[in-house]
Amino acid sequence: MKTLRLIWGLIKFQPRLHIANTLVWCVLHTLPLVVGLLMRDFFDSFSDGASAGLNVWTVLAFLAATQVARIGTHMLAMWVWFTQELSSCALLRHNMLSWIMQGPGHRRLPQTSGEAISRFRSDVRDAVFYLERSVEIVGQVIFVVVAFGI
């Protein structure tokens, strides 16, 4: 099975979870930009060109709120990711075991039992790794685009 076809199948398995996972990681990756903008306003407040309505205390309050939001978003992102990862691994393992057990009699694997265990453990995890990278890349690309825009 081609890698992109496998990734697309895993995304179609739980599309809402994948979209939520991607959105949460995009927010997590772009929150440092908010910190940078707040730090800019903080240092601008010491100069003559300070923005109207912002003073040192409001910028510090926004900075603290952004850090709390970043921690909360990171916890949510980890929960959503592990939910998607574990359900995707379970789906792949279920499909592999179903293939072995289907049909007349049982299908014998050509490898040793140790290699079969490796396929069920490591190969499944490696396949889901590409799903993780796809989510990370989307978040990092959005970060770069917004950073260049700023």
Side-chain angles (χ1 to χ4, degrees):
M1 177 180 276
K2 300 282 185 200
T3 304
L4 291 177
R5 193 168 141 213
L6 173 70
I7 297 301
W8 182 244
L10 290 175
I11 291 171
K12 287 190 327 186
F13 172 59
Q14 291 181 323
R16 286 183 288 171
L17 185 62
H18 181 72
I19 290 169
N21 192 15
T22 303
L23 289 176
V24 170
W25 280 99
C26 287
V27 169
L28 184 69
H29 283 299
T30 55
L31 274 175
L33 295 173
V34 175
V35 174
L37 291 172
L38 289 171
M39 294 301 291
R40 180 191 66 189
D41 289 340
F42 177 75
F43 289 113
D44 283 348
S45 67
F46 291 122
S47 67
D48 291 333
S51 302
L54 285 179
N55 61 25
V56 174
W57 296 109
T58 57
V59 172
L60 286 175
F62 283 137
L63 189 61
T66 302
Q67 291 303 322
V68 169
R70 191 172 177 199
I71 291 168
T73 304
H74 192 265
M75 291 172 58
L76 177 65
M78 295 304 291
W79 180 81
V80 172
W81 164 243
F82 283 122
T83 302
Q84 185 178 17
E85 177 189 24
L86 294 175
S87 62
S88 297
C89 286
L91 174 71
L92 290 175
R93 288 182 181 119
H94 175 268
N95 290 345
M96 290 168 62
L97 190 59
S98 293
W99 181 85
I100 291 172
M101 301 305 266
Q102 285 176 356
H106 65 281
R107 293 184 178 157
R108 197 171 90 88
L109 295 176
Q111 300 93 5
T112 65
S113 59
E115 290 177 24
I117 290 172
S118 175
R119 293 208 186 279
F120 274 85
R121 182 190 59 228
S122 301
D123 290 357
V124 167
R125 178 63 190 110
D126 289 343
V128 174
F129 174 76
Y130 289 105
L131 184 64
E132 179 183 358
R133 289 298 120 204
S134 70
V135 170
E136 288 283 327
I137 288 172
V138 170
Q140 291 170 354
V141 165
I142 289 176
F143 171 81
V144 168
V145 168
V146 172
F148 276 125
I150 291 173

